[in-house]
Amino acid sequence: MAQVPDFVSLNGPDNVGKTTHLVRLAERWDGFQPLGAVHEHDPEPWARVAAGGYARWWFETSTTVELTEMLLAGHAKRAAARETGHTGLLDRGLPMLLAVATATCLVKDGLTVGEASKTVTGIAGSRAAAPETSILLLR
């Protein structure tokens, strides 16, 4: 029998059904554990930045380091919430979180794709990442 992965992530734009599909998967097998989004596992910093206007913070006042580290911290806490023997179901996994940070860095810092990618992977490089199987869900 093939071993099930520790994590499966659904990745894609907002409102395409990622969370709905994860809930449906979890309803079918008790070995699946829905873990949700990164902000659910590290709510304090996300609530703090949302208080002054979330979009303004994300696109104007945050730094690439701050945004990337918040995404990574939430992802690490979310991964740590996985119960032993369960497959954690992630609403956006690490590859998508890094892609979002890279795209934001590219626009805000005026970098090339390669420069922005190198910047974000440099920030993320010191953190150990939990392996996951990622699925891109588009509509």
Side-chain angles (χ1 to χ4, degrees), residues 6-64:
D6 289 340
F7 297 94
V8 170
S9 67
L10 295 184
N11 301 286
D14 290 341
N15 301 313
V16 296
K18 296 179 300 295
T19 303
T20 300
H21 288 331
L22 292 173
V23 168
R24 288 180 180 165
L25 281 172
E27 289 171 349
R28 295 292 195 175
W29 184 49
D30 62 3
F32 285 138
Q33 179 186 355
L35 293 172
V38 292
H39 68 276
E40 296 168 359
H41 293 272
D42 197 17
E44 186 280 322
W46 293 100
R48 180 177 38 80
V49 300
Y54 183 71
R56 184 173 183 274
W57 172 82
W58 189 291
F59 295 107
E60 295 177 24
T61 63
S62 70
T63 66
T64 297

Side-chain angles (χ1 to χ4, degrees), residues 66-114:
E66 182 182 22
L67 172 64
T68 304
E69 287 183 348
M70 280 180 60
L71 290 168
L72 293 171
H75 179 69
K77 289 179 180 183
R78 178 177 63 174
R82 182 182 66 86
E83 297 172 9
T84 303
H86 285 78
T87 296
L89 302 176
L90 310 175
D91 182 339
R92 292 193 176 93
L94 184 60
M96 186 69 175
L97 297 176
L98 294 175
V100 165
T102 299
T104 304
C105 174
L106 182 143
V107 172
K108 285 178 57 177
D109 299 341
L111 303 177
T112 66
V113 172

